[in-house]
Amino acid sequence: MSQAVENALPIIPSIKDPSPKKKIDGPYLSVTQSLGLEGEVGLAGAKNATLVIMTSLILTAGRSVLRNVPASDDVFHMIQLLQGLGAQAVFNTETNVLEVDTTDLSGYSVAPELMKMMRASVLVMGPLLARFGKAEIGFPGGDVIGARPIDYHIKNFQKMGVDVHEQPDLLVARVRRLQCRNLLLEYPSVGATENLIMLATLTGGTTKIINAALEPEVFDLIAILKQMGARIDTEMPATIVITGVEKLHPVDYTIMYDRMEAGALLTAAAMTGGYVHIPQAPAHLMGMFLMKLQEMGHTVLIGKDGVGVKVKATKNPRAVSIKTGPYPAFPTDLQASMMALLTTAQGVSVIKETVFENRFMHGREMTKMGAQIDVQHDVATIRGVEELYGTHVIASDIRASCALVLAGMKAIGETTISGVYHWKRGYEHLEEKLRSLGASITLYE
Ligand code: UD1
């Protein structure tokens, strides 16, 4: 190529940009353009359901068996947390079976270092209060996607008769006298709903959670609690009714499949112009996401009884608009992947993020790859471009890591992604699944 032509190229990172070859500090993912992903792929168990279900075992004394547990780092963190409380745990990562024995559980304090590893650690609070009448925990950590306070949890624990004192690095909670109440959530928080359900299972009388979160993972928690002997019903509108029982018993339970992993893999098909089949995908729980793929022009085929999805990508995807929200609205956890997909759709797409106030950090990284994204507060406007170009980008949270991998599969050249810690927290070897479909992706640790 002559000098003159080279100078005429747009000034965006491209395969000519040597930056990906620079030494990258720490582990990273390398992805090179991988068009036409094709094949059939299995799914892992749902991470978000698994984490809360693991904490629910605190409510029982004995040996429980959880099946379909994803071997992702957040699960390992939660195992550590339960062990710290005195539980015995054996996790077979080949069979995805986790055995937890809570007979000798005696601790009610979780060290701040463990709490900081993930936000889901706050979900020990309801079960610890139910079992021991006290809990002492650090403040939860997790993804940096907004302020993520826990005021709905605390306010409603207080209404149920729990004293909560905040110390600089510690929350100290003590049951004064548990009482069942009608609890009205000002927002259908997933975590607050789950924490309150768990405390209410062992609180005498009937507790109602009004404006509860109705995410499928909340219902997976309800399903295991019922198997343990809890009494839980639902009422219109969005009310969960819990009648306390004396005792819950250990169980053998199979966790639901991960709709977020399914969404990522189907987006990979759409993104790369491919054709992917996920026989276990819970299509009946993915309505809004699948509808948006169809609106873009992709072919979506749903299996019998709403289980199993095939996505065949269109060559000319159209722009669409999306608004995230509590289930059954478009899930915020698929927003980042969807943004990646929309970067090369024809026309202008608009994404409104209503769940978290700071969840567009991946957009800035995608612009480094040539995407045209304008973010104003909670609205991102994406103007479709012809091509993305590989460069070095940084993942700021679990779902961002996935979105950047997807963008990397579409981009010309090599994309390197650091912040792999998040990828490993959220997914069980998703890079291997993508590779099995034809993606060129390597995890360097
Ligand atoms: C869970 C999921 C996460 C998902 C989110 C929304 C797990 C482990 N994580 O997170 O992947 O993105 O639901 O579907 O299941 N809020 C408050 N005060 C509170 C609680 C929440 O202001 O006490 C706010 C949050 O800052 C956020 C919104 O409510 O803006 C939703 O949060 P919530 O539904 O609680 O999400 P998580 O349970 O943390």
Side-chain angles (χ1 to χ4, degrees):
M1 189 184 284
S2 76
Q3 191 63 36
V5 174
E6 200 165 359
N7 286 345
L9 286 171
I11 307 167
I12 42 182
S14 74
I15 42 176
K16 290 192 161 295
D17 186 335
S19 58
K21 301 284 175 279
K22 273 196 258 169
K23 188 178 171 330
I24 297 166
D25 287 332
Y28 68 99
L29 282 152
S30 164
V31 185
T32 48
Q33 194 181 45
S34 316
L35 301 180
L37 254 56
E38 204 169 319
E40 192 175 298
V41 67
L43 273 189
K47 171 194 76 92
N48 285 353
T50 303
L51 296 175
V52 67
I53 281 173
M54 287 172 74
T55 70
S56 77
L57 300 180
I58 295 172
L59 297 164
T60 67
R63 180 181 157 279
S64 287
V65 179
L66 300 180
R67 301 178 193 276
N68 211 24
V69 172
S72 61
D73 280 359
D74 270 0
V75 169
F76 291 114
H77 296 151
M78 190 59 90
I79 290 174
Q80 262 181 288
L81 195 156
L82 291 178
Q83 285 171 330
L85 295 170
Q88 308 284 322
V90 180
F91 187 19
N92 183 332
T93 54
E94 296 294 315
T95 57
N96 296 97
V97 174
L98 172 65
E99 294 174 42
V100 181
D101 193 331
T102 52
T103 311
D104 297 327
L105 205 85
S106 56
Y108 54 86
S109 315
V110 183
E113 311 84 76
L114 269 175
M115 289 296 295
K116 284 200 169 70
M117 283 180 173
M118 60 189 159
R119 179 163 166 93
S121 51
V122 74
L123 300 170
V124 295
M125 209 171 164
L128 285 177
L129 288 168
R131 181 153 174 182
F132 300 114
K134 49 191 175 187
E136 286 176 15
I137 62 171
F139 288 92
D143 292 329
V144 189
I145 46 175
R148 304 190 84 174
I150 53 168
D151 52 328
Y152 305 152
H153 303 240
I154 293 175
K155 215 186 283 185
N156 288 289
F157 282 145
Q158 287 169 333
K159 283 188 188 154
M160 291 181 75
V162 178
D163 288 331
V164 184
H165 300 287
E166 286 188 33
Q167 295 177 2
D169 232 4
L170 207 64
L171 269 178
V172 179
R174 293 274 185 282
V175 167
R176 207 177 337 109
R177 195 170 65 85
L178 277 184
Q179 43 199 324
C180 46
R181 281 290 173 93
N182 285 355
L183 306 171
L184 176 59
L185 294 187
E186 46 207 277
Y187 183 87
S189 153
V190 173
T193 302
E194 293 170 340
N195 240 340
L196 295 167
I197 291 174
M198 291 190 281
L199 177 56
T201 53
L202 293 177
T203 302
T206 300
T207 304
K208 284 190 179 191
I209 305 171
I210 304 154
N211 196 26
L214 302 176
E215 264 63 8
E217 294 75 16
V218 173
F219 283 91
D220 215 31
L221 170 67
I222 291 176
I224 187 174
L225 290 172
K226 284 172 118 169
Q227 203 174 311
M228 290 174 182
R231 289 178 55 197
I232 307 174
D233 295 301
T234 48
E235 271 178 12
M236 292 282 279
T239 300
I240 296 175
V241 184
I242 308 108
T243 305
V245 295
E246 282 282 305
K247 205 173 163 214
L248 297 175
H249 53 79
V251 286
D252 186 324
Y253 187 78
T254 302
I255 288 163
M256 66 183 284
Y257 287 108
D258 198 327
R259 62 191 173 112
M260 302 311 168
E261 190 193 43
L265 289 161
L266 295 173
T267 307
M271 187 97 206
T272 63
Y275 186 17
V276 169
H277 179 204
I278 310 180
Q280 296 144 335
H284 60 297
L285 306 175
M286 300 176 70
M288 192 62 80
F289 166 77
L290 296 175
M291 190 177 96
K292 290 293 167 182
L293 285 188
Q294 278 174 322
E295 272 180 31
M296 290 184 75
H298 300 295
T299 303
V300 176
L301 301 170
I302 294 176
K304 203 168 151 280
D305 301 326
V307 178
V309 183
K310 289 180 186 168
V311 165
K312 189 172 190 324
T314 174
K315 288 200 166 47
N316 300 303
R318 292 186 291 272
V320 294
S321 288
I322 279 158
K323 185 174 166 186
T324 66
Y327 187 84
F330 193 94
T332 176
D333 283 353
L334 289 179
Q335 178 258 102
S337 301
M338 199 62 178
M339 182 183 279
L341 183 59
L342 294 174
T343 56
T344 54
Q346 289 166 10
V348 177
S349 303
V350 176
I351 299 181
K352 186 168 167 66
E353 171 60 61
T354 76
V355 181
F356 292 108
E357 74 273 22
N358 186 19
R359 205 176 199 180
F360 282 139
M361 282 184 277
H362 42 276
R364 192 185 52 210
E365 299 305 299
M366 287 178 208
T367 58
K368 293 182 189 165
M369 302 173 73
Q372 288 199 9
I373 301 168
D374 175 56
V375 174
Q376 298 292 335
H377 307 293
D378 56 355
V379 176
T381 306
I382 302 127
R383 196 173 296 275
V385 294
E386 288 284 318
E387 303 284 8
L388 296 177
Y389 299 88
T391 188
H392 181 65
V393 287
I394 300 167
S396 52
D397 63 70
I398 292 176
R399 307 306 173 186
S401 71
C402 182
L404 294 171
V405 163
L406 296 175
M409 291 193 303
K410 177 79 175 175
I412 296 172
E414 183 191 19
T415 302
T416 50
I417 302 153
S418 52
V420 162
Y421 161 77
H422 297 292
W423 173 263
K424 293 180 63 187
R425 279 185 53 208
Y427 304 101
E428 175 189 299
H429 303 305
L430 184 52
E431 68 280 4
E432 287 172 15
K433 287 186 185 167
L434 290 168
R435 250 197 321 265
S436 77
L437 297 170
S440 172
I441 172 170
T442 312
L443 175 58
Y444 292 98
E445 297 200 71

